[in-house]
Amino acid sequence: MTALLVSVAALIASAPAAAQPVPATQFNARLLAAQNVLRVEAKVAQVVWDNTLATGAEMWAQHLAQTGIFQHSDRHARRGIGENMWYGGHGRYSPEAMVGLWAAEKRNFVPGIFPNVSRTGNWYDVSHYTQVIWPATQRVGCAVASNARTDYLVCRYATAGNIDGRRVP
């Protein structure tokens, strides 16, 4: 498992584009592995894949692809469930590169009590990263939907992260 995590960490840093289409099960496994690399680095427990969360993420990703409007789903419709989103050119990014953009927020992250966890003073600058490494999160499910120009990734997390007053490692 350690060798896999090291390999995925290298892919996050070096894989900006997808070389070829990736089967859905492998794509999901790679999304999970890329996020677990970040969690291991942050010294928090790894998350497991949750198909129910993935189904909700898929419905929202399809909505984004159909409307082209990039916005979070209604929090009241997903109580207790966190959400990260990403978009980029259709077919141009690997799962590791997608997660890698959230991982890049680590450069502005400082451990502390949320929302005071950003070098910039703006918690939003690290919000994707902090959701990925949130200590209480145990499960994740993700989905990608596309239109002719854009891929939309949505990941859902249980339990939700980014809770005011809680410590982030």
Side-chain angles (χ1 to χ4, degrees):
M1 185 64 170
T2 302
L4 173 64
L5 293 176
V6 171
S7 298
V8 172
L11 285 170
I12 288 172
S14 67
Q20 58 188 349
V22 178
T25 54
Q26 185 183 10
F27 192 90
N28 295 344
R30 289 170 62 185
L31 283 170
L32 177 64
Q35 292 182 76
N36 276 329
V37 165
L38 299 174
R39 293 182 65 84
V40 167
E41 290 173 353
K43 297 180 175 51
V44 296
Q46 295 183 41
V47 291
V48 297
W49 189 262
D50 184 298
N51 286 325
T52 302
L53 292 172
T55 298
E58 181 177 12
M59 291 187 330
W60 191 248
Q62 288 176 358
H63 170 79
L64 297 176
Q66 289 169 358
T67 65
I69 299 170
F70 191 68
Q71 65 184 23
H72 281 284
S73 63
D74 181 5
R75 286 183 186 191
H76 294 53
R78 55 176 170 83
R79 289 189 191 277
I81 305 296
E83 183 175 79
N84 270 351
M85 303 185 322
W86 171 95
Y87 74 98
H90 179 56
R92 298 181 68 182
Y93 295 87
S94 68
E96 296 82 10
M98 293 172 180
V99 173
L101 293 174
W102 299 335
E105 294 176 355
K106 181 179 179 180
R107 71 180 173 272
N108 289 321
F109 173 73
V110 292
I113 305 298
F114 195 86
N116 301 316
V117 293
S118 176
R119 292 183 204 296
T120 68
N122 183 353
W123 68 269
Y124 190 77
D125 292 340
V126 297
S127 62
H128 301 97
Y129 175 72
T130 54
Q131 174 57 82
V132 171
I133 66 157
W134 197 260
T137 299
Q138 299 172 334
R139 299 174 287 125
V140 65
C142 305
V144 173
S146 305
N147 58 33
R149 298 179 58 194
T150 307
D151 292 335
Y152 295 89
L153 168 66
V154 176
C155 288
R156 298 255 173 109
Y157 303 85
T159 347
N162 297 343
I163 308 295
D164 286 354
R166 304 275 173 89
R167 175 163 289 288
V168 188

Short mmCIF file of all heavy atoms in Angstrom, two decimals, residues 7-19 30 92-101:
data_model
loop_
_atom_site.label_atom_id
_atom_site.label_comp_id
_atom_site.label_asym_id
_atom_site.label_seq_id
_atom_site.Cartn_x
_atom_site.Cartn_y
_atom_site.Cartn_z
N SER A 7 3.41 6.12 -5.46
CA SER A 7 3.16 6.23 -6.89
C SER A 7 2.08 7.24 -7.19
O SER A 7 2.19 8.04 -8.11
CB SER A 7 2.76 4.87 -7.47
OG SER A 7 3.79 3.95 -7.31
N VAL A 8 1.00 7.21 -6.42
CA VAL A 8 -0.08 8.16 -6.63
C VAL A 8 0.39 9.57 -6.33
O VAL A 8 0.06 10.52 -7.05
CB VAL A 8 -1.33 7.78 -5.80
CG1 VAL A 8 -2.38 8.86 -5.88
CG2 VAL A 8 -1.90 6.46 -6.28
N ALA A 9 1.18 9.75 -5.29
CA ALA A 9 1.71 11.08 -4.97
C ALA A 9 2.52 11.62 -6.14
O ALA A 9 2.41 12.80 -6.49
CB ALA A 9 2.55 11.03 -3.70
N ALA A 10 3.32 10.78 -6.75
CA ALA A 10 4.11 11.20 -7.90
C ALA A 10 3.19 11.56 -9.07
O ALA A 10 3.43 12.54 -9.78
CB ALA A 10 5.08 10.10 -8.32
N LEU A 11 2.12 10.80 -9.26
CA LEU A 11 1.18 11.10 -10.33
C LEU A 11 0.46 12.42 -10.10
O LEU A 11 0.21 13.18 -11.03
CB LEU A 11 0.16 9.97 -10.48
CG LEU A 11 0.68 8.71 -11.14
CD1 LEU A 11 -0.35 7.59 -11.02
CD2 LEU A 11 1.02 8.96 -12.59
N ILE A 12 0.11 12.71 -8.84
CA ILE A 12 -0.57 13.97 -8.55
C ILE A 12 0.31 15.13 -8.98
O ILE A 12 -0.16 16.08 -9.58
CB ILE A 12 -0.90 14.08 -7.04
CG1 ILE A 12 -2.04 13.12 -6.69
CG2 ILE A 12 -1.28 15.51 -6.67
CD1 ILE A 12 -2.31 13.02 -5.21
N ALA A 13 1.58 15.02 -8.70
CA ALA A 13 2.50 16.11 -9.00
C ALA A 13 2.82 16.21 -10.49
O ALA A 13 3.11 17.29 -10.98
CB ALA A 13 3.79 15.91 -8.21
N SER A 14 2.76 15.09 -11.22
CA SER A 14 3.30 15.11 -12.58
C SER A 14 2.33 14.80 -13.69
O SER A 14 2.73 14.80 -14.84
CB SER A 14 4.46 14.10 -12.66
OG SER A 14 3.95 12.79 -12.50
N ALA A 15 1.05 14.55 -13.42
CA ALA A 15 0.14 14.11 -14.47
C ALA A 15 -0.92 15.16 -14.78
O ALA A 15 -2.03 15.07 -14.30
CB ALA A 15 -0.53 12.81 -14.05
N PRO A 16 -0.60 16.15 -15.61
CA PRO A 16 -1.58 17.19 -15.89
C PRO A 16 -2.69 16.75 -16.84
O PRO A 16 -3.73 17.35 -16.86
CB PRO A 16 -0.74 18.29 -16.54
CG PRO A 16 0.39 17.58 -17.16
CD PRO A 16 0.67 16.41 -16.25
N ALA A 17 -2.46 15.74 -17.62
CA ALA A 17 -3.46 15.37 -18.63
C ALA A 17 -3.68 13.87 -18.66
O ALA A 17 -2.80 13.10 -18.32
CB ALA A 17 -3.00 15.86 -19.99
N ALA A 18 -4.86 13.49 -19.11
CA ALA A 18 -5.19 12.08 -19.28
C ALA A 18 -4.65 11.63 -20.63
O ALA A 18 -4.91 12.27 -21.64
CB ALA A 18 -6.69 11.87 -19.20
N ALA A 19 -3.90 10.55 -20.66
CA ALA A 19 -3.34 10.04 -21.90
C ALA A 19 -4.40 9.36 -22.75
O ALA A 19 -4.37 9.43 -23.96
CB ALA A 19 -2.19 9.08 -21.61
N ARG A 30 -8.61 5.60 -8.63
CA ARG A 30 -7.54 6.58 -8.69
C ARG A 30 -7.92 7.87 -7.97
O ARG A 30 -7.08 8.48 -7.29
CB ARG A 30 -7.14 6.84 -10.14
CG ARG A 30 -6.42 5.63 -10.74
CD ARG A 30 -6.22 5.73 -12.22
NE ARG A 30 -5.39 6.88 -12.59
CZ ARG A 30 -5.16 7.23 -13.85
NH1 ARG A 30 -5.65 6.52 -14.85
NH2 ARG A 30 -4.40 8.27 -14.11
N ARG A 92 -8.98 16.11 -20.83
CA ARG A 92 -7.60 16.58 -20.76
C ARG A 92 -6.90 16.31 -19.44
O ARG A 92 -5.70 16.51 -19.34
CB ARG A 92 -7.57 18.07 -21.06
CG ARG A 92 -8.09 18.37 -22.47
CD ARG A 92 -8.05 19.81 -22.77
NE ARG A 92 -6.64 20.22 -22.85
CZ ARG A 92 -6.24 21.44 -23.07
NH1 ARG A 92 -7.13 22.39 -23.24
NH2 ARG A 92 -4.98 21.74 -23.11
N TYR A 93 -7.63 15.86 -18.41
CA TYR A 93 -7.04 15.72 -17.08
C TYR A 93 -7.23 14.32 -16.52
O TYR A 93 -8.30 13.74 -16.65
CB TYR A 93 -7.64 16.75 -16.11
CG TYR A 93 -7.30 18.16 -16.48
CD1 TYR A 93 -8.10 18.86 -17.37
CD2 TYR A 93 -6.18 18.77 -15.97
CE1 TYR A 93 -7.79 20.16 -17.74
CE2 TYR A 93 -5.85 20.07 -16.33
CZ TYR A 93 -6.67 20.75 -17.22
OH TYR A 93 -6.34 22.03 -17.58
N SER A 94 -6.20 13.84 -15.87
CA SER A 94 -6.26 12.56 -15.17
C SER A 94 -6.96 12.76 -13.83
O SER A 94 -7.07 13.89 -13.34
CB SER A 94 -4.84 12.03 -14.94
OG SER A 94 -4.17 12.86 -13.99
N PRO A 95 -7.41 11.67 -13.21
CA PRO A 95 -7.99 11.80 -11.86
C PRO A 95 -7.00 12.44 -10.88
O PRO A 95 -7.39 13.27 -10.05
CB PRO A 95 -8.30 10.36 -11.45
CG PRO A 95 -8.31 9.58 -12.70
CD PRO A 95 -7.44 10.30 -13.69
N GLU A 96 -5.74 12.08 -10.98
CA GLU A 96 -4.72 12.63 -10.08
C GLU A 96 -4.54 14.12 -10.28
O GLU A 96 -4.35 14.88 -9.33
CB GLU A 96 -3.39 11.90 -10.28
CG GLU A 96 -3.43 10.44 -9.91
CD GLU A 96 -4.01 9.54 -11.00
OE1 GLU A 96 -4.23 9.98 -12.15
OE2 GLU A 96 -4.27 8.36 -10.69
N ALA A 97 -4.62 14.57 -11.53
CA ALA A 97 -4.48 16.01 -11.80
C ALA A 97 -5.68 16.77 -11.27
O ALA A 97 -5.53 17.89 -10.77
CB ALA A 97 -4.31 16.25 -13.30
N MET A 98 -6.87 16.19 -11.37
CA MET A 98 -8.06 16.84 -10.83
C MET A 98 -7.91 17.05 -9.32
O MET A 98 -8.08 18.16 -8.82
CB MET A 98 -9.31 16.00 -11.12
CG MET A 98 -9.66 15.91 -12.58
SD MET A 98 -10.99 14.72 -12.83
CE MET A 98 -11.21 14.81 -14.59
N VAL A 99 -7.58 16.00 -8.61
CA VAL A 99 -7.37 16.09 -7.16
C VAL A 99 -6.15 16.96 -6.87
O VAL A 99 -6.11 17.67 -5.86
CB VAL A 99 -7.24 14.69 -6.53
CG1 VAL A 99 -6.85 14.77 -5.05
CG2 VAL A 99 -8.55 13.92 -6.69
N GLY A 100 -5.18 16.91 -7.75
CA GLY A 100 -3.96 17.71 -7.57
C GLY A 100 -4.23 19.20 -7.49
O GLY A 100 -3.51 19.93 -6.79
N LEU A 101 -5.26 19.66 -8.14
CA LEU A 101 -5.59 21.08 -8.04
C LEU A 101 -6.10 21.41 -6.64
O LEU A 101 -5.85 22.50 -6.12
CB LEU A 101 -6.59 21.48 -9.13
CG LEU A 101 -5.99 21.41 -10.54
CD1 LEU A 101 -7.07 21.67 -11.59
CD2 LEU A 101 -4.85 22.40 -10.70
#
